[in-house]
Each structure stands twice: as C-alpha cells, then as structure tokens.
Amino acid sequence: MSPNFKLQCHFILILLTALRGESRYLEVQEAAVYDPLLLFSANLKRDLAEEQPYRRALRCLDMLSLPGQFTFTADRPQLHCAAFFIGEPEEFITIHYDLVSIDCQGGDFLKVFDGWILKGEKFPSSQDHPLSTMKRYTDFCESGLTRRSIRSSQNVAMVFFRVHEPGNGFTITIKTDPNLFPCNVISQTPSGRFTLVVPYQHQNCSFSIIYPVAIKISDLTLGHLHGLQLKKPVAGCGGTGDFVELLGGTGLDPSKMMPLADLCYPFLGPAQMKISCDNAVVRMVSSGKHINRVTFEYRQLEPFELETSTGNSIPEYCLSSL
C-alpha cells in the first residue's frame, strides 16, 4: 500500500469521525462500515484521466479531489451531510449549481463554505482569510440560482446540505482554475516540496500538512532579514512584521495551534524540524512591504522518529497525542 493511499484513508477517517463528533479514530468494524477505500483512492486521478467529464453520485459524507459533475439524491431523510473538495495547491475550486431540488421552507438547506470547517475549527483560520466567517458561507436558500457559481479562495471548499424528502437533491459541477500565488493550502500528500510567495500583500498564508512530518526550510527571503529562532516566551519575530512560523496541533485551525518556531534571524544552511502533531503548518505573516518567500520540503515521520529526540529539532509537544 502506497504512502499516499495510507494518508488518504487516514484523512477520510479523521473527517468522518470529526463530522460525527466522535473520537479521532474509528474502530476496525466502524472503518469497514464506512469503507474509505470506496471514498478515496490514490489512483483515482490516474484511472479516470481518460474519462471526461467525470460523473458519479455524491454521498452524504464525501471527499473529492478531482473535477467533475456530482449528483446527490436522497433515498431517505439525510440531515447531517457534508462534501469536502480539495484541489492541487496551485488551484482554486469553483462549485457550480446545475440543478437543485430541495425544500428550503421544509428545513432543507444547501450551503457552500469557502474553506473547510470541522467541529468549529476552520481552515483557513479567521486570521488568514480575507472574508469574515459569515461571508464565507453561500446559502442556496437565500441566494437561489442568482449565484450559480461560487469560487473558493484556496484549494479547499466544502458543501453542507440537508434533504428530508426522498428523491430530492441536487447536481453540482466542480471545476478548478489556476492560482498564481497560492496563499492558504491543505496538502493532499504526506510529502512534497512547496514555495510560498507573498508579493507586496498584507496577508497571512498557511500551508497545512495533516500528518506528523519533518520539515526542512531550504530558502527564506523576507525582504529585510533571513533566519531562524526558536520560540521564546519574551522574544520572537512578531515585531518585525514579516516572518514565518512553524505551528503544530491536533485540530484544523492554525490560530488554535501551538507556535513551535519563528523564522526571521540569520542562520547558515537548511533548518530541519520534526513536528509530531496531527497537523503541521508553515505560516507566513506579511506586512505588505516586501516580497516574501519560503521554500520547504516535508515528509511523513516514520514511527521510530516519533520518539523524543534532541539536537536540531523542535520539542515533541504533540507526542502524547499520537
């Protein structure tokens, strides 16, 4: 089984259990009931490369990583449903309503959220998104088909829906568009390489990896300084206005994670950190006065690497939660 495939199954289980308000992991028999192998496959894009456009039924709890047309039809009252959409880091997601047949007055709803939200935690966080939380929702029962297409601000978006009457439902088309300067990203894979660039923009950008990982910073340009400093109680990079920080936590919202390191002071050679949390984030804070750039590589930690270590590594704050 490939590492990517293991990640995707792991990811689906986290999402499903979070939506159900249960523990982080499902028991073996519960996993069999949900059958994440049907929800998500590492070879999905490759297998469907020649099938355009891709069409399939949408499930009450679903996750999709490729464009296509998706139809949900209720076979019984479905009261707590959500579909998560994720693209490549350099992509926006557009959700287009093709056909909607729901009873808004009877309690049905269909809402698009710009980002992901799980158990009250949002990605991007409120600090990193240009819109307020309320404006990130688009409610079909309020806007109708006057707004048929909704584009996300990053590579993730989701749909909440409730349908009471069997036979009712909706059809949506998912498209992706290039994003020249990706700001907030959730990685589809447990390993990779990425360059985060913020050109003269006053904004915060987060790159989220939902896995324990080792991160190696190979290039850092902040317009005024270069470097690395471990987080200290009375010192940090916040006063500089432009810096990169490494965060770790067990939830989705970067603003609720623990700061592990600030990057803003001179250092020689690459800096590597191990973050054993469920979620690791590389976050860039920009004043808008410079072109800021950080290049980093990341890979999933092996089990033996999750043990507490010393040297050039971040203290294992999240070790006990794994």
Side-chain angles (χ1 to χ4, degrees):
M1 186 177 290
S2 71
N4 285 0
F5 183 75
K6 291 179 181 178
L7 168 68
Q8 291 153 354
C9 292
H10 170 91
F11 207 170
I12 286 293
L13 294 180
I14 291 175
L15 295 178
L16 291 176
T17 51
L19 283 168
R20 296 171 64 196
E22 297 181 0
S23 60
R24 176 169 167 260
Y25 292 105
L26 294 172
E27 297 296 331
V28 173
Q29 60 268 27
E30 290 180 301
V33 171
Y34 280 98
D35 196 2
L37 307 185
L38 297 177
L39 290 178
F40 210 87
S41 168
N43 298 319
L44 190 57
K45 290 185 177 180
R46 184 189 65 190
D47 294 343
L48 297 169
E50 298 179 359
E51 299 183 17
Q52 296 294 335
Y54 173 53
R55 293 183 175 91
R56 79 157 170 83
L58 192 66
R59 303 176 181 91
C60 178
L61 293 175
D62 217 335
M63 182 176 179
L64 294 155
S65 65
L66 75 169
Q69 188 178 69
F70 306 97
T71 299
F72 177 80
T73 304
D75 57 357
R76 62 184 185 278
Q78 298 281 11
L79 306 183
H80 305 285
C81 299
F84 296 81
F85 301 99
I86 183 169
E88 297 295 333
E90 300 87 359
E91 290 179 338
F92 295 113
I93 294 174
T94 297
I95 299 173
H96 179 80
Y97 295 131
D98 297 315
L99 176 66
V100 180
S101 177
I102 63 173
D103 183 5
C104 294
Q105 294 183 343
D108 293 356
F109 63 75
L110 176 60
K111 300 179 181 181
V112 175
F113 183 72
D114 188 3
W116 281 1
I117 183 168
L118 289 168
K119 299 180 71 174
E121 294 203 9
K122 303 178 290 293
F123 183 91
S125 70
S126 298
Q127 297 178 5
D128 295 349
H129 200 280
L131 300 177
S132 67
T133 298
M134 293 306 299
K135 290 184 178 180
R136 292 167 68 176
Y137 286 96
T138 302
D139 189 342
F140 172 82
C141 289
E142 293 180 357
S143 61
L145 292 176
T146 58
R147 188 177 179 186
R148 298 185 70 109
S149 295
I150 302 101
R151 192 175 82 165
S152 69
S153 304
Q154 61 286 311
N155 77 321
V156 292
M158 66 183 299
V159 174
F160 295 96
F161 53 98
R162 173 183 295 168
V163 182
H164 287 84
E165 186 69 24
N168 283 354
F170 57 89
T171 298
I172 56 176
T173 295
I174 305 300
K175 298 180 180 180
T176 58
D177 299 301
N179 182 358
L180 297 180
F181 295 102
C183 180
N184 293 299
V185 175
I186 291 181
S187 176
Q188 293 190 42
T189 62
S191 61
R193 178 183 174 90
F194 192 77
T195 298
L196 186 61
V197 181
V198 182
Y200 297 111
Q201 293 178 322
H202 181 44
Q203 63 181 7
N204 306 324
C205 299
S206 295
F207 188 97
S208 176
I209 311 154
I210 305 183
Y211 236 88
V213 291
I215 297 178
K216 183 171 70 174
I217 308 294
S218 58
D219 179 65
L220 177 64
T221 302
L222 294 173
H224 62 292
L225 292 171
H226 305 267
L228 170 71
Q229 178 182 355
L230 294 182
K231 178 73 77 173
K232 296 180 180 179
V234 295
C237 300
T240 66
D242 297 87
F243 61 94
V244 171
E245 59 181 350
L246 280 297
L247 308 172
T250 57
L252 192 66
D253 195 325
S255 68
K256 298 181 180 180
M257 294 182 185
M258 180 175 294
L260 304 180
D262 284 343
L263 292 87
C264 62
Y265 295 108
F267 71 99
L268 297 176
Q272 180 166 313
M273 303 118 206
K274 291 197 292 186
I275 302 177
S276 61
C277 305
D278 290 343
N279 195 354
V281 169
V282 179
R283 182 171 183 264
M284 177 176 284
V285 177
S286 297
S287 65
K289 300 177 181 179
H290 311 282
I291 298 177
N292 295 326
R293 181 183 67 206
V294 60
T295 299
F296 55 93
E297 299 175 16
Y298 55 99
R299 63 171 179 81
Q300 178 187 351
L301 290 177
E302 300 293 339
F304 71 88
E305 293 181 285
L306 295 177
E307 299 177 1
T308 303
S309 60
T310 59
N312 186 25
S313 64
I314 301 301
E316 304 294 334
Y317 292 108
C318 301
L319 186 60
S320 60
S321 67
L322 294 175

